[in-house]
Each structure stands twice: as C-alpha cells, then as structure tokens.
Amino acid sequence: MSTFTAKVESCMPLKEGYQIVLDRTAFFPEGGGQGADTGMISSVRVLDVQEKDGIIFHFTDAPLKMGQEVEGSIDWEKRFSKMQQHTGEHIVSGIVHSRFGYNNVGFHLGEENVTLDFNGVLTTEELREVEYAANEAVAANVDVLVSYPDDKELETLKYRSKIEIEGQTRIVTIPGYDVCACCAPHVRRTGEIGIIKLVQMQKYKGGVRIAMKCGFRALEDYNKKETTVKALSALLSAKEEELTDFVERLKEEIFELKGKILGLNQKIFQSKVEKLEDGCDKVIFFEDTDAVGMRNLMNLALEKKGKMCAVFSGKDGEYKYVIGSKEKDVRQIANNLNEMFQGRGGGKPDMVQGSLKGTKEQIEKMWDKL
Ligand SMILES: [Zn+2]
C-alpha cells in the first residue's frame, strides 16, 4: 500500500517540526533493522516515523488540523528498494542458516549496501553458492507469507529470530528458504526482489560480514561498474575480459622501467660527481629526482668528494632537500634554511631532509655563505 486516507488524531508542535498521530497509517516506523518510511501526509512532509507503545508518530515539517481528513503517500521508490533489500536478506540468511548452520547476528540496511553479519566463516566458493541459490529463490517467484501464530504453534515452529520478542510474534515465511520473526515490510513474491548480488565479504568478529545489493540497487551498481570497465578498456585499448592480465603486465613494465631509471640516474649521478673539482668540500646539486635519487646522489658525493653535500629537487617556490655531512652537524643548517625559506624538516646530525619555498638563486647564495 503506497497511498491511504486517514483522520488526524493529534498534532503536537516540537522544538523542530511536528508530531502527528493518525487513526490509521501505512507508514512503516523504523524497526527490525529497516529504516522509517518518508513521504507526504496531504501537504506536509513526513521526515521520520517512530513507534512507541503501539502508537505510530509521524514527524513532519508542518502541522495538520485535528480531525482533518488526510491522504498519505509513501516515497514508494525508496520503500520498494528497502523491501527488495530486506526480503533478499531473509533469503540469504535462510540459505546460510540451513546449509552452514550459521546465524545472522547483525543486519544493517544502509543507503548504499545491506550488510549481514554471520557467526561463521564462508569461503568465496561457498559465497557464490549461496548467491546462486538465492537467485534461484527469486526465479522460483514464491509467495512471501506473513502469519501471527499463537503461543502453542510458536512452540513447535522452527524459526530464526534475532531478539527476544514480547507480545505477538509476526512470522515471515519464504517457503523452502526461510522462516523468521520480523516486523518489517517485505515484497509479496520473491520475483519482485530482482537480482540478489553479494558484492563483498570480509572477516568480522570471528565470522564474516557480507555486503549485498538487490534489485534496482544491484542494477545501478552494475551500471557503475560497467562504466568503469568500459572506460578502462578504452583507455588501455584492451578487451574487457583481458583487463586484469593487461594491468598486471603494465604494473610489471612500470616496475622494470623504474629499475632502469634508477640505474640510469645512478650513472648520471656518478658522472656528475666525477666532474666535481678536486678539493671541493661543499657541494650543491639541483636535480629533478625522487627521494631515493636525492639520497643516492648525496651519498655518492660524500663518498667521492665533499665533506658536505646538499641536493635540491623541485622548482622555484617548492624545493625538497637532502643535506648530509661526514663531519658537520647539519641540523643547524636545516634549521636556518627552514627559517629563511619557510621550510619544514629535520633529521639526524649527519643527514637532514625537508622542503622549503625559496628560489634556486636564493638557495645558492645562502649555500655559498655557509
Ligand atoms: Zn524481515
């Protein structure tokens, strides 16, 4: 039921908004792991719905008159999605319970995903098996039955239940798949759920947490993933089914190239160091390289020639630096540099590193004065 008529029984102003009670309602109050419905009651917006002691309170943005005849309408797209997710959850939990004996010990129906926590571990193959069986239940399009058995019947009935239930128990049965005590709305037949996709599984508190998407939510997820895969395929000029191999090869190539660059850099550094004049104790380099390259160059220079060496990488306004010495404590130099050029960094007596904001000219001038 997505629309209904009712009479306003009470309307109370709150700090923010209003609290309205109707003589009857189709709005679902938050419960059983499923969030409250939103929608409209005549001209006012329903933002939240809660139940207390059998009374359902609608929290709205505007008031309604007592005794007024109103028409309620539920945000059906949202509600239907929740029913798809929720009914899917019953099927998956029922299958996991009957095949592996694990209980659903936590359930959250979020905006993005539904998560299910089980108190036992499944393998990836078992997860696929559960997913397939759940989709078989959808294809079988069986009725989702609701019943209110009396205490005597309940005693003999085998059903899943997360909490101790007070008062009348509502049993939701999906024949062949699940029997569970639950207060929330579900779809009428399993076919309405659409696809049940288990999108993620991780170890959680000695068991597993499974993330799931059902129906239109799963379709949306499929579309997103398809867009990503197609974009990658076009970018890399590779067939979709070959993307994984392709990217693996790319990663290997990049790794090899990095190694080659490192080797080439080392040769360049060596020749630079060899060209240094004899007796040159204080060396400064401006070299476009990464942190490893900077340290390599510094170490080479210190080995071969200078007593103190600085390597700067970057451009005017943003330089990274490494300074080392075999004899001098270079921490004071770093402090001075940082002070002069709004820099950050430090280190040990024989090596400091950091970044600063000066220009090449300024840095060289300062270096000459040391
Ligand atoms: Zn339920």
Side-chain angles (χ1 to χ4, degrees):
M1 186 183 276
S2 60
T3 58
F4 63 97
T5 56
K7 206 184 258 181
V8 178
E9 283 197 338
S10 74
C11 177
M12 214 173 75
L14 301 171
K15 250 188 188 168
E16 254 179 72
Y18 297 82
Q19 176 187 290
I20 291 170
V21 177
L22 305 176
D23 67 337
R24 57 185 210 142
T25 185
F27 277 92
F28 176 69
E30 186 180 350
Q34 184 164 327
D37 282 336
T38 54
M40 302 291 289
I41 301 174
S42 289
S43 59
V44 308
R45 177 131 271 279
V46 178
L47 307 163
D48 189 16
V49 187
Q50 296 290 330
E51 183 249 303
K52 209 183 168 214
D53 301 326
I55 301 171
I56 293 172
F57 298 100
H58 307 78
F59 296 93
T60 65
D61 63 346
L64 290 168
K65 273 196 206 107
M66 273 248 293
Q68 187 184 340
E69 291 273 354
V70 288
E71 193 175 308
S73 68
I74 291 163
D75 287 338
W76 188 249
E77 210 177 297
K78 278 188 191 166
R79 157 71 94 80
F80 189 70
S81 175
K82 284 178 196 165
M83 297 197 306
Q84 286 184 314
Q85 314 309 317
H86 194 133
T87 317
E89 182 261 332
H90 275 257
I91 293 174
V92 171
S93 297
I95 291 170
V96 170
H97 186 252
S98 65
R99 294 200 182 192
F100 303 98
Y102 305 148
N103 286 314
N104 178 328
V105 289
F107 164 56
H108 177 70
L109 208 169
E111 290 286 325
E112 285 264 317
N113 278 336
V114 169
T115 58
L116 299 83
D117 301 337
F118 291 100
N119 58 358
V121 176
L122 295 173
T123 64
T124 312
E125 294 78 51
E126 286 167 343
L127 186 78
R128 288 287 155 258
E129 194 186 310
V130 170
E131 184 181 78
Y132 195 85
N135 283 283
E136 281 181 322
V138 172
N141 199 24
V142 296
D143 285 319
V144 178
L145 308 168
V146 171
S147 60
Y148 297 91
D150 58 32
D151 291 349
K152 233 178 155 187
E153 278 176 90
L154 270 180
E155 262 174 46
T156 58
L157 193 66
K158 270 198 168 170
Y159 63 97
R160 296 189 303 114
S161 174
K162 273 162 255 172
I163 45 161
E164 273 308 310
I165 298 153
E166 285 171 40
Q168 196 175 37
T169 304
R170 182 177 186 257
I171 297 290
V172 176
T173 305
I174 303 172
Y177 294 98
D178 189 38
V179 184
C180 183
C182 184
C183 66
H186 309 79
V187 295
R188 279 166 303 188
R189 295 172 76 90
T190 55
E192 291 175 31
I193 301 167
I195 191 163
I196 296 177
K197 184 70 194 144
L198 307 178
V199 290
Q200 214 177 48
M201 180 169 71
Q202 65 192 76
K203 294 254 164 71
Y204 184 76
K205 286 185 179 173
V208 287
R209 169 167 284 182
I210 295 171
M212 173 182 87
K213 288 180 196 280
C214 295
F216 294 114
R217 209 180 255 194
L219 181 64
E220 207 178 294
D221 187 52
Y222 189 113
N223 287 338
K224 251 193 231 167
K225 283 174 175 153
E226 191 185 43
T227 306
T228 306
V229 169
K230 280 201 177 357
L232 282 177
S233 169
L235 271 172
L236 301 170
S237 303
K239 285 182 186 163
E240 286 177 24
E241 60 275 20
E242 288 165 6
L243 276 177
T244 314
D245 287 341
F246 193 92
V247 172
E248 237 161 60
R249 277 205 307 278
L250 267 185
K251 275 185 82 177
E252 274 167 31
E253 266 175 45
I254 289 168
F255 185 76
E256 274 173 34
L257 284 174
K258 273 191 177 167
K260 273 185 193 162
I261 290 171
L262 211 67
L264 285 172
N265 266 345
Q266 203 66 8
K267 275 186 192 159
I268 293 169
F269 295 161
Q270 262 160 358
S271 79
K272 283 197 176 193
V273 167
E274 269 154 26
K275 273 186 206 144
L276 289 174
E277 287 166 35
D278 277 340
C280 162
D281 288 339
K282 209 172 68 180
V283 199
I284 184 166
F285 290 104
F286 284 85
E287 190 70 45
D288 185 19
T289 182
D290 61 3
V292 179
M294 287 166 78
R295 278 200 301 275
N296 283 351
L297 178 54
M298 181 197 74
N299 286 330
L300 271 177
L302 287 179
E303 254 171 52
K304 290 263 163 92
K305 303 269 179 182
K307 288 174 185 149
M308 192 161 77
C309 174
V311 181
F312 288 83
S313 175
K315 57 182 184 192
D316 281 357
E318 44 183 311
Y319 277 109
K320 287 206 168 78
Y321 67 80
V322 176
I323 305 168
S325 172
K326 285 190 261 185
E327 291 166 1
K328 240 181 160 174
D329 186 342
V330 287
R331 286 178 299 183
Q332 190 52 46
I333 297 171
N335 287 343
N336 292 345
L337 272 176
N338 292 342
E339 215 168 279
M340 280 174 81
F341 303 115
Q342 296 165 273
R344 288 152 51 139
K348 292 176 185 162
D350 62 340
M351 193 188 89
V352 288
Q353 48 191 342
S355 61
L356 50 76
K357 292 201 164 104
T359 64
K360 187 179 176 193
E361 210 188 326
Q362 288 171 325
I363 294 164
E364 275 173 335
K365 216 182 249 176
M366 185 280 312
W367 187 254
D368 285 341
K369 279 192 211 145
L370 282 177

mmCIF file of all heavy atoms in Angstrom, residues 32 34 86-87 89-90 170 172 180-186, ligand 1:
data_model
loop_
_atom_site.group_PDB
_atom_site.id
_atom_site.type_symbol
_atom_site.label_atom_id
_atom_site.label_comp_id
_atom_site.label_asym_id
_atom_site.label_seq_id
_atom_site.Cartn_x
_atom_site.Cartn_y
_atom_site.Cartn_z
ATOM 1 N N GLY A 32 13.204 -3.473 13.225
ATOM 2 C CA GLY A 32 13.669 -4.726 12.619
ATOM 3 C C GLY A 32 14.824 -4.530 11.651
ATOM 4 O O GLY A 32 14.984 -5.307 10.723
ATOM 5 N N GLN A 34 15.136 -2.088 9.585
ATOM 6 C CA GLN A 34 14.726 -1.317 8.409
ATOM 7 C C GLN A 34 14.332 0.092 8.835
ATOM 8 O O GLN A 34 13.614 0.284 9.820
ATOM 9 C CB GLN A 34 13.549 -2.013 7.710
ATOM 10 C CG GLN A 34 13.133 -1.301 6.421
ATOM 11 C CD GLN A 34 12.243 -2.168 5.533
ATOM 12 O OE1 GLN A 34 12.387 -3.388 5.501
ATOM 13 N NE2 GLN A 34 11.343 -1.545 4.812
ATOM 14 N N HIS A 86 15.493 -6.016 1.989
ATOM 15 C CA HIS A 86 15.129 -6.735 3.195
ATOM 16 C C HIS A 86 14.698 -8.182 2.898
ATOM 17 O O HIS A 86 15.125 -9.127 3.565
ATOM 18 C CB HIS A 86 14.007 -5.974 3.907
ATOM 19 C CG HIS A 86 13.790 -6.448 5.291
ATOM 20 N ND1 HIS A 86 13.668 -5.610 6.362
ATOM 21 C CD2 HIS A 86 13.700 -7.695 5.789
ATOM 22 C CE1 HIS A 86 13.512 -6.312 7.450
ATOM 23 N NE2 HIS A 86 13.512 -7.581 7.134
ATOM 24 N N THR A 87 13.894 -8.349 1.870
ATOM 25 C CA THR A 87 13.448 -9.701 1.542
ATOM 26 C C THR A 87 14.637 -10.528 1.038
ATOM 27 O O THR A 87 14.751 -11.725 1.345
ATOM 28 C CB THR A 87 12.310 -9.677 0.500
ATOM 29 O OG1 THR A 87 11.386 -8.646 0.842
ATOM 30 C CG2 THR A 87 11.591 -11.009 0.438
ATOM 31 N N GLU A 89 17.604 -10.199 2.043
ATOM 32 C CA GLU A 89 18.354 -10.555 3.262
ATOM 33 C C GLU A 89 17.787 -11.813 3.910
ATOM 34 O O GLU A 89 18.528 -12.683 4.362
ATOM 35 C CB GLU A 89 18.313 -9.375 4.234
ATOM 36 C CG GLU A 89 19.097 -9.587 5.511
ATOM 37 C CD GLU A 89 18.218 -9.996 6.683
ATOM 38 O OE1 GLU A 89 17.023 -9.630 6.700
ATOM 39 O OE2 GLU A 89 18.704 -10.700 7.563
ATOM 40 N N HIS A 90 16.448 -11.914 3.961
ATOM 41 C CA HIS A 90 15.818 -13.118 4.521
ATOM 42 C C HIS A 90 16.279 -14.364 3.776
ATOM 43 O O HIS A 90 16.621 -15.375 4.387
ATOM 44 C CB HIS A 90 14.287 -13.036 4.392
ATOM 45 C CG HIS A 90 13.638 -12.289 5.514
ATOM 46 N ND1 HIS A 90 12.978 -12.910 6.538
ATOM 47 C CD2 HIS A 90 13.554 -10.956 5.758
ATOM 48 C CE1 HIS A 90 12.496 -11.998 7.371
ATOM 49 N NE2 HIS A 90 12.834 -10.793 6.917
ATOM 50 N N ARG A 170 5.264 -11.911 14.757
ATOM 51 C CA ARG A 170 4.922 -11.937 13.336
ATOM 52 C C ARG A 170 5.963 -12.812 12.637
ATOM 53 O O ARG A 170 7.172 -12.563 12.760
ATOM 54 C CB ARG A 170 4.965 -10.508 12.798
ATOM 55 C CG ARG A 170 4.584 -10.343 11.341
ATOM 56 C CD ARG A 170 4.619 -8.847 11.044
ATOM 57 N NE ARG A 170 4.144 -8.498 9.726
ATOM 58 C CZ ARG A 170 4.948 -8.178 8.710
ATOM 59 N NH1 ARG A 170 6.255 -8.201 8.862
ATOM 60 N NH2 ARG A 170 4.417 -7.828 7.548
ATOM 61 N N VAL A 172 7.516 -14.328 9.201
ATOM 62 C CA VAL A 172 7.620 -14.158 7.751
ATOM 63 C C VAL A 172 8.213 -15.433 7.172
ATOM 64 O O VAL A 172 9.308 -15.843 7.561
ATOM 65 C CB VAL A 172 8.498 -12.938 7.406
ATOM 66 C CG1 VAL A 172 8.697 -12.806 5.905
ATOM 67 C CG2 VAL A 172 7.871 -11.669 7.984
ATOM 68 N N CYS A 180 11.234 -16.666 9.629
ATOM 69 C CA CYS A 180 11.896 -15.707 10.516
ATOM 70 C C CYS A 180 10.882 -14.779 11.163
ATOM 71 O O CYS A 180 9.911 -14.363 10.517
ATOM 72 C CB CYS A 180 12.902 -14.893 9.704
ATOM 73 S SG CYS A 180 13.864 -13.737 10.687
ATOM 74 N N ALA A 181 11.105 -14.452 12.443
ATOM 75 C CA ALA A 181 10.262 -13.465 13.105
ATOM 76 C C ALA A 181 10.725 -12.083 12.669
ATOM 77 O O ALA A 181 11.903 -11.768 12.785
ATOM 78 C CB ALA A 181 10.407 -13.605 14.613
ATOM 79 N N CYS A 182 9.805 -11.299 12.110
ATOM 80 C CA CYS A 182 10.209 -9.989 11.584
ATOM 81 C C CYS A 182 9.008 -9.050 11.498
ATOM 82 O O CYS A 182 7.903 -9.466 11.175
ATOM 83 C CB CYS A 182 10.843 -10.156 10.204
ATOM 84 S SG CYS A 182 11.484 -8.614 9.531
ATOM 85 N N CYS A 183 9.252 -7.760 11.808
ATOM 86 C CA CYS A 183 8.148 -6.796 11.841
ATOM 87 C C CYS A 183 8.108 -5.906 10.599
ATOM 88 O O CYS A 183 7.186 -5.118 10.432
ATOM 89 C CB CYS A 183 8.276 -5.921 13.084
ATOM 90 S SG CYS A 183 9.735 -4.880 13.039
ATOM 91 N N ALA A 184 9.109 -6.031 9.734
ATOM 92 C CA ALA A 184 9.238 -5.054 8.638
ATOM 93 C C ALA A 184 8.450 -5.468 7.388
ATOM 94 O O ALA A 184 8.037 -6.617 7.260
ATOM 95 C CB ALA A 184 10.708 -4.887 8.303
ATOM 96 N N PRO A 185 8.221 -4.516 6.466
ATOM 97 C CA PRO A 185 7.552 -4.862 5.213
ATOM 98 C C PRO A 185 8.473 -5.571 4.219
ATOM 99 O O PRO A 185 9.657 -5.274 4.149
ATOM 100 C CB PRO A 185 7.110 -3.511 4.654
ATOM 101 C CG PRO A 185 7.885 -2.471 5.359
ATOM 102 C CD PRO A 185 8.521 -3.083 6.561
ATOM 103 N N HIS A 186 7.924 -6.517 3.504
ATOM 104 C CA HIS A 186 8.671 -7.289 2.500
ATOM 105 C C HIS A 186 7.894 -7.257 1.196
ATOM 106 O O HIS A 186 6.733 -6.872 1.186
ATOM 107 C CB HIS A 186 8.827 -8.743 2.965
ATOM 108 C CG HIS A 186 9.372 -8.868 4.351
ATOM 109 N ND1 HIS A 186 8.583 -8.698 5.460
ATOM 110 C CD2 HIS A 186 10.616 -9.109 4.797
ATOM 111 C CE1 HIS A 186 9.326 -8.823 6.542
ATOM 112 N NE2 HIS A 186 10.566 -9.069 6.169
HETATM 113 ZN ZN ZN B 1 12.088 -9.004 7.519
#
